Amino acid sequence: MFLCIFLIFFWFILHTLTIITDGTQEDTRPADIGVIFGTKNKKDGSLSQSMLRRLNIGLKLYQEGRIQKILLSGGMANKGFCESDLMQDFLISKGVRLGDIIIDNKAKNTKENVDNSLEIIKNNNYKRLIIISQYYHISRIKLMYYKRGFYNIGSVSSRHFSKKHDPKIFIREFLGFYYYYFFY
């Protein structure tokens, strides 16, 4: 029994270190499109710090010409606000052309984010993308693209660590990764 618990704990630690390493490595070679994965807004409809960090990364890549289009993926969140609409308003206020923004406001989870973005990517014949999310989320996102046969992916994250949330997030991502691996 002790050995079993030790092995599970050891596997969790190894997996978590892999998630951190993968999520903090940047690959921002030029791409056709950057996909910004949504996250909950504040209850008053304002952008959370996590969402702002993701948007600022996408904005920087766009301004540097590393991405040509920005796909905002996220559906309804807190108090009936749509994540992708809030993100679009922010990017437009920062000078991003409306024609360079693509909205996916139907996705409710990572699987739907990836599936919907792949449909857009295939319909527009995009060849390379950069995913933008939190560092702990990158590995699970890549897993979903790989399982669907799309491999030409770069990634970047804000690398923001929070002592308050990270322990719970690592448990969620550990369980979520294997759930997505086996069931999606």
Side-chain angles (χ1 to χ4, degrees), residues 9-147:
F9 180 74
F10 181 73
W11 183 251
F12 171 77
I13 296 298
L14 233 138
H15 183 90
T16 301
L17 291 173
T18 302
I19 285 173
I20 293 169
T21 302
D22 187 32
T24 56
Q25 304 250 336
E26 289 189 8
D27 179 0
T28 58
R29 289 173 284 156
D32 302 308
I33 190 166
V35 181
I36 301 177
F37 286 74
T39 186
K40 288 184 181 175
N41 53 279
K42 293 180 182 177
K43 291 181 181 179
D44 66 0
S46 60
L47 301 173
S48 66
Q49 286 302 309
S50 179
M51 192 181 286
L52 281 169
R53 282 190 281 276
R54 295 176 194 194
L55 288 166
N56 283 318
I57 290 168
L59 179 61
K60 182 178 182 223
L61 293 172
Y62 176 81
Q63 291 170 335
E64 292 173 350
R66 292 182 186 271
I67 56 176
Q68 305 307 306
K69 302 282 185 185
I70 301 174
L71 171 57
L72 304 172
S73 187
M76 297 305 284
N78 277 332
K79 300 289 182 182
F81 294 99
C82 181
E83 294 170 0
S84 54
D85 291 343
L86 295 172
M87 292 190 287
Q88 176 179 271
D89 292 344
F90 174 85
L91 291 175
I92 288 172
S93 77
K94 298 296 181 183
V96 177
R97 288 179 351 101
L98 181 59
D100 290 339
I101 298 173
I102 302 167
I103 296 286
D104 165 26
N105 57 11
K106 306 239 183 311
K108 297 176 191 157
N109 58 45
T110 302
K111 177 195 175 299
E112 292 177 9
N113 291 128
V114 170
D115 290 343
N116 296 352
S117 69
L118 276 173
E119 185 175 328
I120 292 165
I121 289 164
K122 289 176 183 174
N123 289 342
N124 290 282
N125 203 31
Y126 296 138
K127 301 294 182 206
R128 186 170 196 288
L129 69 95
I130 295 176
I131 54 176
I132 303 161
S133 190
Q134 295 308 107
Y135 72 95
Y136 52 78
H137 195 208
I138 298 291
S139 293
R140 187 158 47 105
I141 295 169
K142 286 180 181 177
L143 169 70
M144 296 307 296
Y145 279 110
Y146 296 160
K147 285 185 76 170

